[in-house]
Amino acid sequence: MNILVTGSSGFIGFHTVKKLSKNKNFKIFGIDNQNNYYDVKLKRDREEILKKIKNYSFTKLDITNFSKLNTFFKKNKIKIVIHLAAQAGVRDSVTNPNKYFTNNIIGFFNIIQVSNLYKIKHLLFASTSSVYGSQNKFPLKENVDINKPLSFYAASKISNETIAYSYSNIFQLPCTCLRFFTVYGPYGRPDMALYKFASLIKTRKILKLYNKGNHIRDFTYVDDVVNYIYELVKKPYKHKIPYNVFNIGSNRPETLKNFLKIIEDNLKMKAKITYLDIQKGDIYKTHADNLKINKYIKKRFNTPLKKGIKNFIDWFIEYHK
Ligand SMILES: NC(=O)c1ccc[n+]([C@@H]2O[C@H](COP(=O)([O-])OP(=O)(O)OC[C@H]3O[C@@H](n4cnc5c(N)ncnc54)[C@H](O)[C@@H]3O)[C@@H](O)[C@H]2O)c1
């Protein structure tokens, strides 16, 4: 079974390839443009590790180039697509919306077009908890209205969801949407809280804490995320419109200030903090209802936050030695 993982040099893509490649019936293909949104060395280091895997191969490719994507699909007889390549991050979408339009909307359109052209068996794609915007009923269920995005990043992902639904409806293309809730873990993203906080504490620099650290996030350990992906790969929704959407979250929300405290405990160092107001586009709280996914796959993955952060800090110290 030939499986394509887009964004394979990225954080979740890297872990997804590692997990899927353990199944020797799978032949995994990775593509990524290795852009410089954050340190390219980290992306290359991830691919260096993946290079050693026998049933895996990497191609540097930009998903905004339809013709190259088309040739790639034809040549490699792709049967399943796990689409993770995107311009991630809420805050950057305030100042650079064009990157989100190009990579997340045009890029996604190319992926779904080519998936439909070659009649792939299952397209799984990354969405985000940001699509929920500001809600007042928690935990968040998949069926609530998502028509009021607070950022262009969220808007770009909502557009992916609606495009995918229409392709499922018109062409019966099996599509599964994964709404990820703040994913963290080793080889994580340097633009996200855990990596940023750890770096600032370690270098004794000032850490900016928005909304006094009262933001609440449903933190999800990356191994749990890839375990869910692994379980879903061969389970497209059997329905006349084969479209499904799942929250991928822990259902254990935590305030950012407590999250920071666990990081400090692991590093055995204290943060130097400046308290700032809430930022534009930010969501106050996320809290995933994960009953739907657990029922669908009849399994549950839920690494405790303390263990997950410890794993990250152990990796972080080793990686930056
Ligand atoms: N990490 C999270 O907490 C989180 C939360 C919600 C949603 N997501 C979504 O999950 C997916 C993976 O996120 P991640 O955290 O691994 O981010 P990441 O930035 O580490 O990975 C994305 C990868 O896609 C690549 N990419 C971007 N544009 C591309 C293009 N045009 N062509 C080819 N490759 C391209 C990047 O180089 C990068 O390596 C993204 O779609 C993101 O929006 C992540």
Side-chain angles (χ1 to χ4, degrees):
M1 179 69 76
N2 292 4
I3 305 182
L4 171 65
V5 178
T6 73
S8 58
S9 317
F11 168 41
I12 303 175
F14 163 71
H15 287 278
T16 302
V17 170
K18 276 216 297 190
K19 172 73 190 175
L20 293 173
S21 64
K22 294 202 172 114
N23 184 333
K24 298 300 166 206
N25 295 320
F26 292 163
K27 197 170 166 201
I28 322 289
F29 297 83
I31 59 173
D32 201 299
N33 68 354
Q34 299 191 332
N35 66 44
N36 64 359
Y37 170 59
Y38 59 78
D39 191 2
V40 181
K41 183 179 176 298
L42 182 57
K43 297 186 180 183
R44 292 205 193 106
D45 288 347
R46 294 182 185 126
E47 285 293 348
E48 272 306 303
I49 294 172
L50 298 180
K51 226 166 79 179
K52 298 182 189 111
I53 299 173
K54 287 213 169 63
N55 54 340
Y56 174 71
S57 64
F58 174 71
T59 306
K60 195 164 176 185
L61 205 155
D62 195 314
I63 58 162
T64 61
N65 187 329
F66 182 79
S67 128
K68 285 200 174 142
L69 204 55
N70 188 27
T71 312
F72 182 87
F73 266 67
K74 198 176 196 170
K75 182 172 161 229
N76 296 304
K77 303 196 168 39
I78 301 299
K79 292 283 178 272
I80 291 176
V81 178
I82 302 171
H83 177 50
L84 303 171
Q87 179 54 53
V90 170
R91 286 177 187 156
D92 198 35
S93 77
V94 177
T95 40
N96 289 310
N98 53 323
K99 283 203 288 188
Y100 292 75
F101 182 73
T102 313
N103 296 303
N104 299 6
I105 301 184
I106 298 177
F108 182 81
F109 180 65
N110 288 343
I111 289 289
I112 202 161
Q113 276 284 70
V114 83
S115 297
N116 193 39
L117 199 61
Y118 293 97
K119 293 290 159 222
I120 64 139
K121 291 180 194 305
H122 194 185
L123 167 63
L124 300 97
F125 66 96
S127 185
T128 166
S129 57
S130 301
V131 300
Y132 289 110
S134 174
Q135 302 276 345
N136 46 29
K137 223 175 135 194
F138 295 96
L140 297 160
K141 281 190 188 296
E142 288 86 345
N143 59 6
V144 302
D145 267 355
I146 52 158
N147 54 9
K148 291 193 178 67
L150 297 187
S151 66
F152 188 64
Y153 169 62
S156 74
K157 293 288 185 176
I158 293 172
S159 92
N160 293 176
E161 296 195 12
T162 53
I163 291 168
Y165 186 86
S166 75
Y167 270 63
S168 283
N169 178 45
I170 297 167
F171 306 108
Q172 281 69 54
L173 183 72
C175 293
T176 301
C177 166
L178 311 166
R179 290 183 185 153
F180 297 141
F181 282 68
T182 319
V183 185
Y184 73 98
Y187 282 93
R189 269 176 31 211
D191 62 317
M192 290 185 70
L194 178 52
Y195 206 127
K196 264 201 206 159
F197 288 178
S199 302
L200 293 168
I201 296 170
K202 203 83 184 96
T203 52
R204 296 173 200 283
K205 289 193 182 131
I206 306 280
L207 184 159
K208 291 180 194 157
L209 201 57
Y210 294 99
N211 190 29
K212 298 196 173 69
N214 288 319
H215 273 10
I216 296 167
R217 289 289 175 269
D218 195 304
F219 294 99
T220 318
Y221 191 59
V222 70
D223 283 0
D224 299 336
V225 171
V226 301
N227 282 332
Y228 280 121
I229 294 177
Y230 186 86
E231 292 296 325
L232 282 172
V233 160
K234 285 170 93 183
K235 290 192 187 79
Y237 191 39
K238 301 261 191 293
H239 190 266
K240 69 177 191 316
I241 304 171
Y243 178 87
N244 218 342
V245 51
F246 295 107
N247 285 337
I248 305 291
S250 65
N251 191 9
R252 275 200 301 222
E254 190 54 85
T255 61
L256 221 59
K257 58 185 176 203
N258 285 347
F259 182 72
L260 175 59
K261 169 92 176 48
I262 306 173
I263 302 171
E264 289 177 325
D265 291 348
N266 274 280
L267 284 171
K268 297 184 184 68
M269 288 172 80
K270 281 271 172 216
K272 294 182 182 170
I273 307 171
T274 307
Y275 294 96
L276 296 172
D277 282 345
I278 189 163
Q279 280 210 311
K280 234 187 178 155
D282 266 7
I283 289 173
Y284 166 65
K285 176 176 176 177
T286 68
H287 177 185
D289 185 312
N290 54 10
L291 283 176
K292 188 177 175 190
I293 180 76
N294 292 337
K295 214 170 143 194
Y296 191 76
I297 61 163
K298 299 188 185 70
K299 273 186 197 166
R300 187 169 175 262
F301 302 104
N302 215 332
T303 305
L305 189 61
K306 280 191 178 160
K307 182 168 187 294
I309 292 182
K310 184 186 179 306
N311 291 352
F312 172 84
I313 298 292
D314 289 350
W315 166 80
F316 175 84
I317 290 168
E318 186 60 32
Y319 186 74
H320 290 285
K321 227 168 30 196

